[in-house]
Amino acid sequence: DTGVSQDPRHKITKRGQNVTFRCDPISEHNRLYWYRQTLGQGPEFLTYFQNEAQLEKSRLLSDRFSAERPKGSFSTLEIQRTEQGDSAMYLCASSAAQGNEKLFFGSGTQLSVL
Amino acid sequence: AQKITQTQPGMFVQEKEAVTLDCTYDTSDQSYGLFWYKQPSSGEMIFLIYQGSYDEQNATEGRYSLNFQKARKSANLVISASQLGDSAMYFCAMREQGGYNKLIFGAGTRLAVHP
């Protein structure tokens, strides 16, 4: 029984570079979420997928950010032209379809933009 | 807009004692859900306990219980018999109305358990 997997765990990049993160949810979960967490803060919602459809995007998700979930399985989050303000922990979570089902989180990808 | 407030940036507790972590929320929805998550230094968010707004009894999960006071809009987490492994960040979160589990999180409380 595997949980939510995220890769890589850590990413260091130079400002202006593109980065891509991957999330593998729990296999039977059709809902997938991306959150961003900065130091000393709680996670902030970025986007939500139900199966392969991206149903909501936060205003935090600028046009430099794009997320996909092809075939409703794994998801990728890409950040283009990274900025120092993008440095944060990016958390992926998944849940089943029931209304009050809890979210299962991965260990996150810590991004540092130099 | 929905909001979660955790007013305790840090808490200390002696091993084997009980500790209460505060959480207040603001919502105009009648139906909502409240969650507590634990985040150890490894970074993973670990689900602890859930309380639905229509649940009449306070939720309990092992050493964790949720002191739900609906009129006061508070959902405090009580950890009984603290253990050294309980040292972590603790986040209160609320499920927004909308049919899926989008959560709004508070800023968290760092708990340190001393031997």
Side-chain angles (χ1 to χ4, degrees):
Chain A
D1 180 26
T2 58
V4 178
S5 299
Q6 291 189 246
D7 183 69
R9 289 294 312 274
H10 304 274
K11 178 70 177 178
I12 300 173
T13 191
K14 292 182 178 179
R15 188 177 52 182
Q17 298 294 307
N18 299 344
V19 294
T20 300
F21 312 140
R22 178 183 171 119
C23 171
D24 287 273
I26 293 171
S27 57
E28 61 267 27
H29 286 176
N30 64 345
R31 295 179 174 179
L32 186 145
Y33 315 78
W34 284 98
Y35 283 80
R36 181 172 70 186
Q37 186 178 21
T38 52
L39 201 61
Q41 298 297 319
E44 297 174 292
F45 171 79
L46 291 179
T47 190
Y48 158 68
F49 289 85
Q50 182 155 321
N51 300 312
E52 66 276 8
Q54 188 174 20
L55 297 186
E56 185 172 346
K57 291 171 59 173
S58 163
R59 282 170 289 184
L60 293 174
L61 219 61
S62 75
D63 55 8
R64 296 184 298 104
F65 288 70
S66 63
E68 294 182 342
R69 193 183 182 196
K71 303 178 183 178
S73 56
F74 71 92
S75 176
T76 58
L77 178 68
E78 181 184 14
I79 309 174
Q80 296 182 326
R81 304 180 304 279
T82 52
E83 302 173 354
Q84 288 185 326
D86 297 331
S87 295
M89 173 78 84
Y90 290 84
L91 292 162
C92 176
S94 69
S95 75
Q98 287 83 7
N100 63 352
E101 188 69 17
K102 59 182 179 278
L103 270 64
F104 292 82
F105 282 84
S107 296
T109 294
Q110 181 67 52
L111 173 66
S112 298
V113 182
L114 305 178
Chain B
Q2 298 184 328
K3 185 179 178 182
I4 293 284
T5 302
Q6 295 181 255
T7 56
Q8 306 155 313
M11 289 285 286
F12 297 90
V13 66
Q14 205 76 20
E15 193 178 9
K16 299 180 185 177
E17 292 186 349
V19 62
T20 297
L21 306 183
D22 294 342
C23 172
T24 58
Y25 59 93
D26 189 19
T27 181
S28 57
D29 294 339
Q30 296 300 308
S31 176
Y32 51 89
L34 296 157
F35 298 77
W36 277 91
Y37 279 83
K38 171 185 177 181
Q39 187 177 43
S41 56
S42 61
E44 183 179 357
M45 299 283 283
I46 302 168
F47 168 79
L48 296 178
I49 198 166
Y50 167 80
Q51 179 85 41
S53 58
Y54 291 118
D55 294 341
E56 293 186 354
Q57 302 226 339
N58 287 343
T60 60
E61 293 278 353
R63 294 186 299 111
Y64 305 107
S65 60
L66 199 151
N67 184 0
F68 182 46
Q69 298 186 44
K70 196 169 182 178
R72 292 187 174 185
K73 293 189 175 179
S74 75
N76 298 339
L77 177 70
V78 180
I79 305 174
S80 63
S82 297
Q83 302 172 356
L84 296 178
D86 293 335
S87 295
M89 284 291 293
Y90 288 81
F91 292 96
C92 181
M94 179 164 55
R95 184 188 71 238
E96 271 199 359
Q97 195 173 39
Y100 62 91
N101 273 326
K102 176 181 171 182
L103 297 182
I104 305 298
F105 285 85
T109 296
R110 181 171 296 281
L111 176 66
V113 181
H114 292 176

